[in-house]
Each structure stands twice: as structure tokens, then as C-alpha cells.
């Protein structure tokens, strides 16, 4: 599992914070930068198991697209807002709201969840067929 530090300014999306985690006497510590005066800052520490879930039997459909999804997940491949991608791929607002409400997630993880769902619903297609959706 990976530990992610997510921050949120006011009503904006959760974003992955680039922080260095330090273990000290059994405690994990981290610094959060850029706290602006007058803006509510939320901080969430989340265990991210998305990368590990590639190997679960229910997600065998992700294995063939693993490198592309990991590139998105690790923020090496640029994506735009995850809801736009979901809508462009035919996801319902109800499904997208469920992804949003489950737990705080980074934009990259939400994009991977939406693309993984699309792959599961379209087993004969590849993400390369819909790459223009997120470019």
C-alpha cells in the first residue's frame, strides 16, 4: 500500500501533496506547505491501494493497460479533469458522484478508476482508442 497526503483548499478538488514522509519513533510525520491565510485547508492521509488492485482477480482487465494507467496514476501522463473524462466515456453522474463520495482521492486516482471501469465495460477495446479524451 502507498500512503498519500491529500490537501484541499476550500471547495476545490483534493490534490496529491508532494511531501516527504518521515518515520520517527513509530510515527509518520509530514509537512504541508502553502497554507494561505483565510482559506480553509483540509488534509487527509489515505492509504492508496489502487496500484495493488491491478493484480486482483476482479481487475484482470486492467493488466493489459497497466503501463498506461500507472503513467496516469504516477502523474507522468497529463490528464484533464476526471469528470470530463467520465462524461466523455458515457459514465453517469450518479456513478461519478459515487467515486467522489467514497473517500478523498487524488485526481489521478479518480481518472484511473473511471478508465478502469470503461475497460471493464469494453473488454475488446484499448485505452489507446480513447486517448484523445484526456489529451
Amino acid at each position: 500500500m502507498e500512503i498519500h497526503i491529500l490537501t484541499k483548499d476550500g471547495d476545490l478538488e483534493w490534490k496529491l501533496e508532494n511531501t516527504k514522509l518521515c518515520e520517527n519513533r513509530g510515527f509518520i510525520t509530514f509537512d504541508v506547505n502553502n497554507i494561505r491565510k483565510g482559506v480553509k485547508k483540509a488534509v487527509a492521509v489515505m492509504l492508496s491501494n489502487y496500484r495493488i488492485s491491478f493484480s486482483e482477480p476482479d481487475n484482470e482487465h486492467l493488466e493489459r493497460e497497466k503501463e498506461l494507467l500507472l503513467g496516469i496514476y504516477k502523474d507522468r501522463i497529463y490528464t484533464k479533469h476526471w469528470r470530463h473524462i467520465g462524461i466523455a466515456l458515457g459514465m453517469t453522474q450518479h456513478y461519478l458522484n459515487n467515486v467522489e463520495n467514497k473517500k478523498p482521492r487524488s485526481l489521478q486516482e479518480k481518472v484511473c478508476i473511471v478508465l478502469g471501469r470503461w475497460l471493464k465495460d469494453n473488454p475488446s477495446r484499448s485505452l489507446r482508442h480513447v486517448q484523445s479524451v484526456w489529451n
Side-chain angles (χ1 to χ4, degrees):
M1 296 248 186
E2 297 177 347
I3 294 179
H4 286 181
I5 308 300
L6 302 174
T7 60
K8 180 178 178 178
D9 289 330
D11 293 333
L12 299 177
E13 291 276 352
W14 287 98
K15 68 177 182 172
L16 190 60
E17 190 72 31
N18 291 329
T19 59
K20 183 178 179 186
L21 299 175
C22 301
E23 190 169 342
N24 185 9
R25 296 184 189 141
F27 294 99
I28 297 174
T29 60
F30 58 92
D31 292 325
V32 176
N33 299 322
N34 302 326
I35 296 180
R36 298 188 320 237
K37 184 177 179 180
V39 177
K40 180 181 171 187
K41 183 82 153 190
V43 178
V45 180
M46 302 304 301
L47 287 175
S48 177
N49 61 354
Y50 190 76
R51 189 166 75 162
I52 293 169
S53 73
F54 287 127
S55 60
E56 292 177 358
D58 291 351
N59 292 325
E60 288 175 359
H61 65 284
L62 299 178
E63 190 64 35
R64 62 189 159 90
E65 302 287 348
K66 188 175 187 174
E67 290 305 313
L68 193 56
L69 288 170
L70 280 174
I72 291 169
Y73 178 72
K74 291 294 185 184
D75 208 19
R76 292 188 306 257
I77 297 174
Y78 172 76
T79 59
K80 55 185 169 181
H81 197 271
W82 70 279
R83 282 188 179 270
H84 295 291
I85 294 171
I87 290 169
L89 294 176
M91 307 281 168
T92 66
Q93 283 294 339
H94 179 70
Y95 174 75
L96 297 175
N97 289 339
N98 284 343
V99 171
E100 177 76 35
N101 294 331
K102 245 183 184 171
K103 68 175 186 175
R105 299 180 189 272
S106 66
L107 292 176
Q108 294 82 7
E109 197 166 0
K110 290 176 188 176
V111 169
C112 287
I113 290 168
V114 167
L115 293 176
R117 168 74 186 267
W118 183 85
L119 284 170
K120 193 171 190 172
D121 293 344
N122 299 281
S124 63
R125 304 208 46 207
S126 166
L127 287 178
R128 307 227 184 272
H129 293 122
V130 295
Q131 195 166 2
S132 62
V133 170
W134 69 81
N135 285 337

